[in-house]
Amino acid sequence: MTHVKVFDTTLRDGEQSAGVNLNKLEKIEIAKQLERFGVDIMEAGFPASSEGEFEAVRQIARTIKHVSVAGLARAVKSDIDTAWEALKDGVEPRLHIFLATSPIHMTYKLKKTPEEVLQTAVETVAYAKQKFHHIEWSAEDATRTDIDFLVKIVEAVIDAGATVINIPDTVGYTTPDEYGKLFRHLKENVPNIDKVTLSAHCHDDLGMAVANSIAAIENGATQVEGTINGIGERAGNASLEEIAVAMKIRQDVYPYTNGLNLKEIKRTSDMVSKLTGMMIPGNKAVVGRNAFAHESGIHQDGVLKEASTYEIITPEMVGVKSNSMVLGKHSGSHAFKEKVHELGYKFNDAKMKEAFMAFKQLTAKKKEVTDDDLFTILMETQVDSITIKKYQLEAFQVQYGSANLPTATVALTTPEGKRLEHAGTGQGSVEAIYNTLESLVHEEIHLEDYQLSSIGKGRDALAEVHVKMTVNGKETGGRGTAQDVLEASANAFLNAVNRVFVTQHVEEQSQAHV
Ligand code: KIV
Ligand code: ZN
């Protein structure tokens, strides 16, 4: 059986999704989960794009011990140098360098002739080879590239030192048959192709990213790239969890192995969705809320008699557990700690105390604390930087009546520790809270998007709110969880505001260290 390596780019291509902006702690948290999921390579970011990005990639490279961490670079020496500085402490530093090769990109974007592009590609790979042993070279927009030019440039960059050749379908234009033939052609026509790993990287503009990726594997690719939940530029990238499960379920036609632990799919998917604020459509394959729901009577009857009648994937296979109560009001710190370890978290004493307090607060209101609830608490504790002072919601009250103008009174503490209180109105309760919070924080805020969902089922389920907004012209996003919808909304608003300050703080700190 052929082994296929999995290259995850959730933290780079996925993070390029519109409105997604992860901070360093969130990126590290996702990186650790990707390691548990068992990816072979994770692309942690684009180090030369900003100070914050550099710092995040550097921390991930230093934290992750069992996965090769990659960083993206344009075909320019300064990007390569910056990537090396960010990655050099990792267990297996890997450069991902890209250059466009299609006539459209070369003419309009790069304003270079094919000969100039070839020369730049060779020079920059040779330059990178002085530092990196593992170099992935990507022919951006490969699927709209002249095939003979692609063969020529791929051969040249392999000679210059590339160890992986990636053939991206950058604009999601290709079809399974066409993409498969492209890989076959490269296998048969690039003389030194056997020296490298061939990699597939597909976007989903025509909804064919997963099918295209699998077609590439059937035709010689031994590495596949993608993201969790398929997040990414425009319509997104190929969903890694879909590729993995398709290969598992249809092993009869896909005789390939990989190192993924499918039982980590649910948790990885949940974490990426929560931290990026990219909701998963209910009908999404493998990870959607309805992926295992059977609605019609005939289907329900069939599943009750024999699950395989309508269920080709079992929920257990991808880590979906029945949401039974795990801990309750009477659980003590010992049981809590054990559960924290069982869920894969390692906390220091301060974080453990913080998480336990959040858990206790929840049990005061919610009778049954499920795995999903606990996972949310632990993840939030992990990504919350207690060392940075932030706006904190102290208390709020809303007066709502269908015949009255909703009024909110809110008290908060500022990052400087001052307690402020104010009252304001709005057309609805959430708007009243948001208008009041805006006047309290004294920033110019525009709300772009607001989404509400529940964690788990039942009337007492936790509410989760994601917002996208601009704070003084800077795009930011926030999330808030609480049992009450209005409290979750207020938390999400303040979380978004705080993220702007945390990002500033991280940038100031890393500048101080330069
Ligand atoms: O889709 C693409 O072409 C990319 C490159 C940077 C590899 O993401
Ligand atoms: Zn891409």
Side-chain angles (χ1 to χ4, degrees), residues 67-251:
V67 175
S68 175
V69 177
L72 187 70
R74 289 165 299 186
V76 289
K77 290 180 178 171
S78 58
D79 274 24
I80 297 167
D81 293 340
T82 309
W84 175 248
E85 287 309 311
L87 295 162
K88 65 182 182 194
D89 298 333
V91 282
E92 194 179 286
R94 183 176 299 253
L95 182 72
H96 178 194
I97 182 166
F98 73 101
L99 187 58
T101 51
S102 67
I104 302 176
H105 278 238
M106 290 192 292
T107 310
Y108 299 107
K109 190 180 81 174
L110 301 177
K111 301 194 191 327
K112 283 189 178 193
T113 63
E115 291 67 38
E116 287 169 331
V117 168
L118 185 102
Q119 193 185 343
T120 307
V122 169
E123 274 173 17
T124 47
V125 170
Y127 179 77
K129 200 67 185 175
Q130 296 167 20
K131 299 184 155 108
F132 287 92
H133 178 63
H134 301 279
I135 301 177
E136 169 164 328
W137 186 81
S138 282
E140 193 189 12
D141 205 15
T143 51
R144 294 191 298 168
T145 295
D146 173 75
I147 187 94
D148 293 333
F149 180 59
L150 191 61
V151 167
K152 193 167 148 187
I153 197 165
V154 165
E155 183 184 355
V157 295
I158 296 173
D159 281 342
T163 53
V164 178
I165 296 294
N166 183 34
I167 305 297
D169 182 27
T170 303
V171 292
Y173 178 75
T174 199
T175 65
D177 185 50
E178 193 179 78
Y179 198 53
K181 282 187 178 140
L182 179 55
F183 277 76
R184 184 86 3 240
H185 188 88
L186 291 171
K187 281 291 260 184
E188 285 167 0
N189 291 280
V190 177
N192 49 5
I193 201 76
D194 288 336
K195 287 190 182 160
V196 295
T197 300
L198 255 187
S199 184
H201 176 116
C202 296
H203 282 265
D204 207 29
D205 298 67
L206 297 177
M208 292 193 274
V210 169
N212 288 340
S213 304
I214 293 179
I217 294 168
E218 290 179 292
N219 286 282
T222 50
Q223 178 176 296
V224 68
E225 309 195 356
T227 60
I228 303 300
N229 301 337
I231 64 168
E233 285 271 10
R234 307 179 311 278
N237 290 55
S239 295
L240 284 180
E241 69 281 359
E242 290 183 22
I243 295 174
V245 171
M247 284 195 192
K248 169 83 183 165
I249 298 293
R250 298 308 312 269
Q251 246 177 22

